[in-house]
Amino acid sequence: MTVYGLHASHEQIPPADLLDAVVRAEQAGFTAAMCSDHFSPWSVRQGESGFAWSWLGAALQATDQVPFGVVNAPGQRYHPAVVAQAIATLASMNPGRFWTALGTGEASNEHITGAGWPRKDIRSARLRECVDVIRALLRGEEVSHDGLVTVDRARLWTLPPEEPPLIGAACSTATAA
């Protein structure tokens, strides 16, 4: 079955306009939507960068059936426990309608923390750790972890009725593996 979806590009379009667009897309028959999670636009000319997680809550409420996804990079700008809590909250409020693609990130967004930008192999290893933490938290486990990310006795108290899909966001064969 062919799926027609809308990509809500926060780095190009104001959030209110994206919300209107996704509502109109559902009315026109689109059956999926996703958005980027950027802190800043790719260029000054694009000039926008709304907060994806806030927008997703609004978009899921403004539409009736369209499933939504977000591309997110846990580990530097976002702690994996915070990402897991955001995923669990949206998925519990909108069962079966939310998925997340997790990737290693881009320096253009992650540099804001002031931490150095790790080599690709380190970012990939950190992503693996983050995915393991997020999955365990979404299963309702208490998680402690010491590695490229640190987690101390985290547990999600609000869980969705079923674990939402976690998808790999990859631009290279190595990351996909």
Side-chain angles (χ1 to χ4, degrees):
M1 180 169 115
T2 303
V3 174
Y4 292 97
L6 174 77
H7 179 264
S9 184
H10 288 286
E11 64 275 15
Q12 296 180 31
I13 301 168
D17 293 346
L18 286 176
L19 189 58
D20 290 341
V22 78
V23 168
R24 287 193 316 271
E26 182 179 50
Q27 292 168 349
F30 281 59
T31 57
M34 67 170 292
C35 71
S36 50
D37 180 14
H38 288 239
F39 188 81
S40 56
W42 289 104
S43 70
V44 173
R45 189 183 74 228
Q46 289 179 318
E48 293 292 334
S49 198
F51 187 59
W53 294 98
S54 299
W55 182 86
L56 283 160
L60 282 157
Q61 287 301 298
T63 56
D64 295 320
Q65 296 181 20
V66 171
F68 283 80
V70 63
V71 179
N72 177 265
Q76 186 156 334
R77 186 165 43 112
Y78 292 107
H79 191 278
V82 173
V83 173
Q85 185 181 32
I87 292 168
T89 300
L90 289 174
S92 70
M93 293 175 67
N94 305 278
R97 290 185 61 205
F98 186 67
W99 55 268
T100 307
L102 300 169
T104 59
E106 298 154 341
S108 62
N109 294 304
E110 311 306 322
H111 77 89
I112 65 163
T113 64
W117 185 237
R119 295 185 322 262
K120 177 66 171 166
D121 61 324
I122 294 171
R123 294 194 322 271
S124 293
R126 181 176 66 187
L127 174 61
R128 175 79 259 162
E129 289 181 19
C130 289
V131 169
D132 291 344
V133 166
I134 291 167
R135 281 189 176 146
L137 288 169
L138 289 172
R139 288 192 299 266
E141 298 173 18
E142 181 179 286
V143 176
S144 290
H145 178 82
D146 292 307
L148 294 170
V149 295
T150 301
V151 183
D152 181 34
R153 295 169 289 158
R155 176 183 166 210
L156 296 180
W157 294 91
T158 298
L159 294 170
E162 61 185 48
E163 284 183 53
L166 299 180
I167 300 166
C171 291
S172 70
T173 305
T175 301

